Amino acid sequence: MLTPEEWVRQHVVHYLTGHLGYPRGLLALERGLRYNQRQKRTDLLALDPEGKPLLLVECKAASVPITAAVAQQATTYNQTIGAPLLLLTNGLVHYCWRVDFEKRTNERLEEIPPFVVAVQL
């Protein structure tokens, strides 16, 4: 049986691959990363055609609101990963940002960019 968070993640995978054209072979689920000497896991990471991070997805259960603390967690992970796109979702509410590491800015996007658009950002 799927946990509530896993249910959200599976639906995000389906949406990315079925509706936005993200290749399933470029999606990494629960990829490990080290942060502050601790081993952490990303919920979902979409890679570009060269295998570089493209879209980091942080999934929460539908009962968990997307708060500033959730955004901080995802942003902290992304400082290690370096994905130009960041998505936070609980399956009901979705927030997507374009991250510019050089300018140190975040731009909120109205929707998740399709794969063909995302690789050009």
Side-chain angles (χ1 to χ4, degrees):
M1 187 161 157
L2 296 178
T3 64
E5 185 176 309
E6 181 62 22
W7 185 90
V8 170
R9 180 172 42 209
Q10 292 301 322
H11 278 77
V12 171
V13 167
H14 175 77
Y15 184 72
L16 290 176
T17 58
H19 298 277
L20 296 179
Y22 285 76
R24 188 172 285 279
L26 293 179
L27 298 181
L29 288 94
E30 293 200 348
R31 187 177 192 179
L33 71 119
R34 290 196 64 75
Y35 182 78
N36 279 348
Q37 311 304 323
R38 291 191 175 127
Q39 191 64 31
K40 300 286 186 180
R41 293 192 182 283
T42 60
D43 289 328
L44 178 61
L45 181 63
L47 305 171
D48 71 11
E50 286 88 49
K52 293 187 222 153
L54 178 64
L55 170 67
L56 174 62
V57 182
E58 178 66 28
C59 298
K60 297 296 182 188
S63 61
V64 178
I66 303 299
T67 62
V70 172
Q72 182 63 44
Q73 174 191 10
T75 301
T76 300
Y77 286 179
N78 202 32
Q79 288 172 349
T80 301
I81 293 167
L85 295 169
L86 183 59
L87 173 64
L88 309 178
T89 183
N90 64 7
L92 303 172
V93 178
H94 322 284
Y95 297 104
C96 190
W97 287 274
R98 180 178 176 186
V99 181
D100 187 323
F101 289 96
E102 289 180 17
K103 295 179 184 171
R104 300 180 64 115
T105 60
N106 296 316
E107 173 192 359
R108 173 105 183 266
L109 303 176
E110 291 297 315
E111 55 191 30
I112 307 164
F115 183 73
V116 295
V117 173
V119 296
Q120 296 172 4
L121 292 177

